[in-house]
Amino acid sequence: TAGGDILSYSNCWIYPVAHPTNGAVPLFTVSNLTVNRFGGFDANAMGFGGGLRSGATASNTAWGPGNNGHNAGASHGGMGTIGGYSGAPGEIYGDPDAPILPGSGARCGYTTSTYTPYYGPWGGGSVQIRALGTVALYGLMTASGTTGVTVAGGGSSGGSIYITCGTFLGDTNGVLQANGGLGAYGSQRGGGGGGGRIAVWRKNDLSGGLVSNYVAGGLGYSLDSAYTNCL
């Protein structure tokens, strides 16, 4: 909680990290928030944790309600796609009007190594802003998932961005994104992670519709595109 304002200058970043197993996320309560160009909030791969594989027979369970089966992509606002080997994506989850939960992690792909542990990709995190006055977005707020790990690993799902404010400002440099991660290549390609969720509630919108927003699913094996969540 900031009694006054938060101002992010260029090349300055705030990294909100979610708890990797229970999904608890930071909440920023401010009077006013300004995010300048080339700076902002970066919650990429800071959501639910990916599965751990230290050998071919490891249990490799990922975290999050949308976690995947075998080499499918994880789900969130959009459903991940199946991979080229086996397993199905998890169910979609979260509130589209008040998205809080981070993206789900994905299982690690196949590896025969018994010596080197590999983590699957972690889901996108969660950017939670409650401003009494103005949110001015001229930079980036991102909570995207990441690409599958090792052979045929599924991508993790995008996270959440949830802003409430009195007035919302922005220009063409402002970007909100919570994309799903790509499936990994290999002899059997991994599935793509589903897109996340974005919601901006404001009394006055002076952005002119110039701020971009993206919740695209990651490319996967089955259809070469994951399903994309609607805003």
Side-chain angles (χ1 to χ4, degrees), residues 7-141:
L7 174 60
S8 173
Y9 290 95
S10 296
N11 300 313
C12 293
W13 296 93
I14 297 171
Y15 298 95
V17 181
H19 193 284
T21 61
N22 67 28
V25 300
L27 170 63
F28 293 84
T29 303
V30 302
S31 295
N32 302 285
L33 170 67
T34 300
V35 175
N36 281 305
R37 192 178 182 188
F38 305 123
F41 286 74
D42 183 352
N44 290 345
M46 294 187 183
F48 283 108
L52 172 63
R53 179 185 286 276
S54 56
T57 59
S59 60
N60 192 20
T61 300
W63 297 91
N67 67 75
N68 60 336
H70 204 77
N71 69 333
S75 301
H76 184 187
M79 185 172 288
T81 57
I82 62 173
Y85 182 68
S86 66
E91 297 296 322
I92 61 174
Y93 63 93
D95 186 342
D97 293 326
I100 295 174
L101 291 171
S104 293
R107 288 161 59 105
C108 181
Y110 180 75
T111 175
T112 58
S113 173
T114 58
Y115 304 102
T116 303
Y118 292 92
Y119 277 98
W122 289 33
S126 180
V127 180
Q128 300 292 312
I129 307 294
R130 308 292 180 267
L132 297 176
T134 298
V135 169
L137 181 61
Y138 309 111
L140 176 64
M141 290 188 181

Side-chain angles (χ1 to χ4, degrees), residues 105-189:
R107 288 161 59 105
C108 181
Y110 180 75
T111 175
T112 58
S113 173
T114 58
Y115 304 102
T116 303
Y118 292 92
Y119 277 98
W122 289 33
S126 180
V127 180
Q128 300 292 312
I129 307 294
R130 308 292 180 267
L132 297 176
T134 298
V135 169
L137 181 61
Y138 309 111
L140 176 64
M141 290 188 181
T142 180
S144 293
T146 48
T147 301
V149 176
T150 70
V151 177
S156 60
S157 58
S160 295
I161 299 176
Y162 180 22
I163 301 170
T164 64
C165 58
T167 299
F168 185 64
L169 298 172
D171 63 15
T172 54
N173 296 306
V175 176
L176 302 166
Q177 64 181 23
N179 298 323
L182 302 175
Y185 288 89
S187 57
Q188 298 287 344
R189 186 175 172 188

